[in-house]
Amino acid sequence: DDGSMVVGFAENPTGGYRQMAYWTDDVVGPQVLGGEDAGELYAVDSYGTSACGVWNQEQVYWDPVNGLVSLGSIPGEFEGTAFDISDDGKVVGECGNAFFGVITATVWTVEDGLMTAADFFATYDVPTPEGYHYARCTGVSADGSTFVGAGVEDGGFFYSPWLVRLDDSVVPAFFSPIDVEIS
């Protein structure tokens, strides 16, 4: 939140591909993670203490104590990207490859590991609508209670946005599709 840590990628000077990197206000230049392997960091928590992204086509979590942690993949899927991280350590993303099949939204926690977003939401009594598939989970609120992403209905082709809120003060809700008018 205060800009003391920014994440992204640095171009490998010899290989020409992206490497996970972060910048802090106390060090000049990028601090590259993952050695010579390809990757990018996409998000950092509000405290500037942990980040997430993709490394060698796998979802990863990073903090200075544990270093890079591969989040694995859900059964039957490969490849993955972690898009966002909450202050309480929830990492959201996707597994799969859209070219070869359907991608699946994921949520990772230290306590439960990696699971599909549908399974994670079910632990909070948020049902997945019949015939709907959470494909991407692209954002999570800082407090870890609100999730956004895109999904697809069975037999459908186009993704529609969704929002799930896990909050004791409101009834868990699922919204899709959200009607958007572009002008």
Side-chain angles (χ1 to χ4, degrees):
D1 280 354
D2 65 1
S4 62
M5 181 179 189
V6 177
V7 298
F9 64 89
E11 293 290 339
N12 182 314
T14 59
Y17 52 85
R18 297 175 174 184
Q19 294 176 284
M20 291 182 297
Y22 67 96
W23 293 257
T24 56
D25 56 6
D26 60 343
V27 177
V28 176
Q31 298 171 65
V32 176
L33 300 172
E36 291 296 311
D37 294 324
E40 298 181 41
L41 290 175
Y42 291 119
V44 61
D45 67 8
S46 297
Y47 307 117
T49 57
S50 58
C52 66
V54 60
W55 179 42
N56 289 330
Q57 300 179 339
E58 292 183 18
Q59 296 184 63
V60 292
Y61 166 88
W62 173 85
D63 69 37
V65 174
N66 299 302
L68 281 172
V69 176
S70 172
L71 304 184
S73 62
I74 55 175
E77 297 287 356
F78 62 99
E79 297 185 5
T81 301
F83 292 117
D84 202 5
I85 185 170
S86 65
D87 291 345
D88 62 357
K90 293 179 183 89
V91 178
V92 300
E94 68 183 22
C95 277
N97 183 310
F99 183 76
F100 293 108
V102 177
I103 54 177
T104 301
T106 59
V107 178
W108 177 86
T109 64
V110 171
E111 302 81 22
D112 299 318
L114 189 69
M115 63 178 70
T116 68
D119 289 344
F120 177 79
F121 298 149
T123 66
Y124 288 87
D125 297 323
V126 177
T128 300
E130 179 114 12
Y132 194 79
H133 176 75
Y134 296 105
R136 286 189 165 101
C137 192
T138 55
V140 59
S141 60
D143 68 0
S145 68
T146 305
F147 300 77
V148 297
V152 64
E153 293 182 30
D154 285 347
F157 179 74
F158 296 106
Y159 289 102
S160 62
W162 55 261
L163 172 111
V164 170
R165 185 175 174 103
L166 312 174
D167 187 325
D168 293 337
S169 65
V170 298
V171 175
F174 168 88
F175 305 95
S176 182
I178 297 173
D179 291 328
V180 176
E181 182 178 320
I182 299 173
S183 62

